[in-house]
Amino acid sequence: MKIAIINGPNLNLLGKRETDVYGNMPFEKYFDALQKKYPQVSLHYYQSNVEGELVNELQRVGFGYDGIILNPAAYTHTSVAIGDAIAAIKAPVVEVHISNVHAREDFRKLSHVSGKSAGSIFGLGLKGYELALQYLIEEGK
């Protein structure tokens, strides 16, 4: 089974930025722990701060991977292109957000991603990625 984790803008700063909201762990360290915990899954990680690069990566993995865990970060609320890319690919996408976007500013309550995803996980910290991975593993059996 092949699963891609795709993170959007500013998530390269996890462990450094707003640690009260996003925690102290860099994503790469968390990703390494996931790989060790789920050796039966081939995990691929990609992060970009650029909207078009995220669309390109969704298209690249969206026809050859068994699932995608996507945290589009701020592009969730602004990117019709990312939503359209999800609709265009075959791999199921689980939307993940570290913070509870519904408990934040009003503009964060709009998602161009949720309605095109298999499901969404909000506000459970990094644990949301593992829950999304467990879902994709179960669905892929």
Side-chain angles (χ1 to χ4, degrees):
M1 175 169 263
K2 290 171 37 175
I3 304 291
I5 298 175
I6 301 174
N7 275 343
N10 299 310
L11 292 171
N12 57 308
L13 297 177
L14 286 177
K16 297 176 187 173
R17 75 177 269 234
E18 299 175 272
T19 55
D20 56 320
V21 175
Y22 298 105
N24 295 319
M25 185 180 296
F27 193 81
E28 292 76 11
K29 185 175 179 181
Y30 181 74
F31 182 74
D32 290 344
L34 274 182
Q35 286 182 305
K36 288 176 185 156
K37 190 169 182 178
Y38 296 91
Q40 75 277 21
V41 179
S42 175
L43 291 171
H44 164 74
Y45 175 58
Y46 181 84
Q47 188 278 328
S48 178
N49 294 319
V50 180
E51 180 181 21
E53 291 177 2
L54 295 169
V55 169
N56 287 342
E57 186 67 3
L58 284 164
Q59 291 177 358
R60 188 184 77 75
V61 301
F63 294 96
Y65 279 62
D66 300 299
I68 299 169
I69 299 166
L70 173 65
N71 184 341
Y75 287 134
T76 303
H77 323 292
T78 63
S79 181
V80 173
I82 289 174
D84 287 350
I86 294 167
I89 61 177
K90 291 187 177 184
V93 174
V94 178
E95 174 188 22
V96 171
H97 292 278
I98 296 167
S99 70
N100 181 353
V101 295
H102 299 290
R104 297 179 67 190
E105 304 92 340
D106 282 344
F107 76 87
R108 294 188 193 275
K109 293 177 178 132
L110 169 68
S111 174
H112 293 284
V113 172
S114 295
K116 297 179 181 165
S117 297
S120 302
I121 300 170
F122 304 98
L124 301 180
L126 292 175
K127 181 74 174 172
Y129 290 90
E130 183 176 0
L131 294 171
L133 179 58
Q134 289 172 354
Y135 168 80
L136 291 168
I137 291 168
E138 282 297 313
E139 288 298 304
K141 286 184 177 179

